Amino acid sequence: MNWSWDTTWDVLPVLLQGFKITLLVTVIGSAIAVALGLVVAVILRSGFRPVTYPLSFLFTFIRSTPLVVQLTVIYVGIPTLKPLYIGIIVIGIHYATYMSESYRAGIDSVPIPQWEACTALSLPAHRKWIDVILPQAIRNVVPALGNNIVAMFKDTPFLSVITVTEMVRAAQVYGSDNFRYMEAFTLAGLIFLAASYPVSVLLRRLEAHLARY
């Protein structure tokens, strides 16, 4: 099948419309994942077993099962909720499990004397975390958080299984309607590359910058 530039210009607006959904899911899902992951990491650090044990099991279970399975189960189980909302919530919680591990590693990397100094100064728990521990921990995990967001962006096509018309789903629909798949999927891949590659480069530079401090 030869490449058709007429098809290329015809499918591009369709893909850009799907890209808006992809971007929306990534932005809101990332906000959920970043915030929830931090809360869970702090809770797990508390050592209160009646809470940490079931929460740790739940997050391990979510992290160990495929995203597409989680999307399908929630989509079938809660048919009254809009597919887009399901996609945002599920992908946000799914990646919160990875974010929490990144935060945990960052918290563990804070030197022990910092913890001891907080105890010696009798700092309240909220001041210890907000003023001392979290600023150091988050600085150490910013590159990892960024990589997780890029991974989430590339996983948004899974939302097509619950009928969310993100960019790849838009390419698939266009291809089936017009019997022209090559242009649609090639352009979708190039848009993904154009959006994610600059972010990856910036993350590498940020990691190198933070390593100097």
Side-chain angles (χ1 to χ4, degrees):
M1 181 180 293
N2 295 326
W3 183 272
S4 169
W5 286 105
D6 289 337
T7 301
T8 301
W9 298 120
D10 186 47
V11 72
L12 184 59
V14 177
L15 296 182
L16 292 178
Q17 188 63 36
F19 180 71
K20 293 179 182 179
I21 301 299
T22 296
L23 196 59
L24 177 68
V25 171
T26 303
V27 171
I28 302 179
S30 297
I32 293 172
V34 168
L36 182 59
L38 177 58
V39 171
V40 170
V42 173
I43 291 175
L44 293 179
R45 182 74 189 194
S46 70
F48 185 57
R49 293 184 178 182
V51 175
T52 59
Y53 275 22
L55 188 58
S56 178
F57 173 80
L58 175 62
F59 262 45
T60 300
F61 176 81
I62 293 173
R63 192 166 52 248
S64 302
T65 53
L67 175 60
V68 66
V69 173
Q70 297 166 16
L71 288 166
T72 304
V73 168
I74 301 301
Y75 177 67
V76 174
I78 313 179
T80 56
L81 194 60
K82 290 184 178 181
L84 178 60
Y85 298 161
I86 291 175
I88 291 172
I89 293 169
V90 171
I91 202 169
I93 294 175
H94 182 84
Y95 270 90
T97 64
Y98 295 99
M99 299 286 193
S100 66
E101 286 298 298
S102 298
Y103 283 124
R104 182 191 60 78
I107 292 170
D108 290 344
S109 71
V110 176
I112 293 177
Q114 297 287 322
W115 296 86
E116 294 174 342
C118 292
T119 302
L121 294 171
S122 300
L123 289 180
H126 70 278
R127 284 199 58 195
K128 177 180 71 175
W129 282 101
I130 295 174
D131 295 339
V132 180
I133 304 302
L134 289 182
Q136 299 179 69
I138 292 175
R139 184 185 66 183
N140 294 336
V141 301
V142 166
L145 299 182
N147 287 331
N148 283 326
I149 292 173
V150 172
M152 178 190 294
F153 173 66
K154 292 187 293 185
D155 276 352
T156 53
F158 284 123
L159 272 63
S160 63
V161 301
I162 59 171
T163 72
V164 174
T165 308
E166 42 67 56
M167 186 164 56
V168 172
R169 172 71 175 171
Q172 183 182 23
V173 171
Y174 182 91
S176 63
D177 290 343
N178 297 274
F179 303 102
R180 299 291 304 192
Y181 288 95
M182 182 171 65
E183 293 87 355
F185 279 97
T186 300
L187 277 180
L190 290 174
I191 293 172
F192 268 110
L193 178 62
S196 60
Y197 181 73
V199 176
S200 299
V201 172
L202 288 174
L203 287 173
R204 287 198 295 270
R205 291 182 178 179
L206 178 60
E207 185 173 7
H209 176 75
L210 293 175
R212 294 198 293 266
Y213 294 93

